Amino acid sequence: LKYLSSEGVPSAGRNVLQMHLKNEGMILTEQQLRYRQKLLYDYGLITIERGRKGSQIAEKGRRFLSLFG
């Protein structure tokens, strides 16, 4: 969530998210990342678009980060 809320990151696809997580020391398979994205989506914290739009942080996700981030 923090990466998606960063300035200049309107959205990000799985490959970009995977690269960012790897740089942060978290190595996830594509399936593991998809599962985590689905959980965040189910809680309403992110939106997931098809194609090049990727994932975006939702307003609820921004509020969550401001409280717990």
Side-chain angles (χ1 to χ4, degrees), residues 29-42:
T29 66
E30 186 171 341
Q31 186 61 37
Q32 289 170 322
L33 180 56
R34 289 177 104 172
Y35 176 72
R36 283 158 177 78
Q37 282 182 295
K38 183 178 178 338
L39 290 176
L40 293 171
Y41 174 79
D42 289 346

Side-chain angles (χ1 to χ4, degrees), residues 11-15 37 47-56:
S11 67
R14 273 193 306 277
N15 289 335
Q37 282 182 295
T47 60
I48 301 173
E49 300 289 334
R50 290 184 154 239
R52 300 190 67 88
K53 284 192 173 187
S55 298
Q56 299 174 322

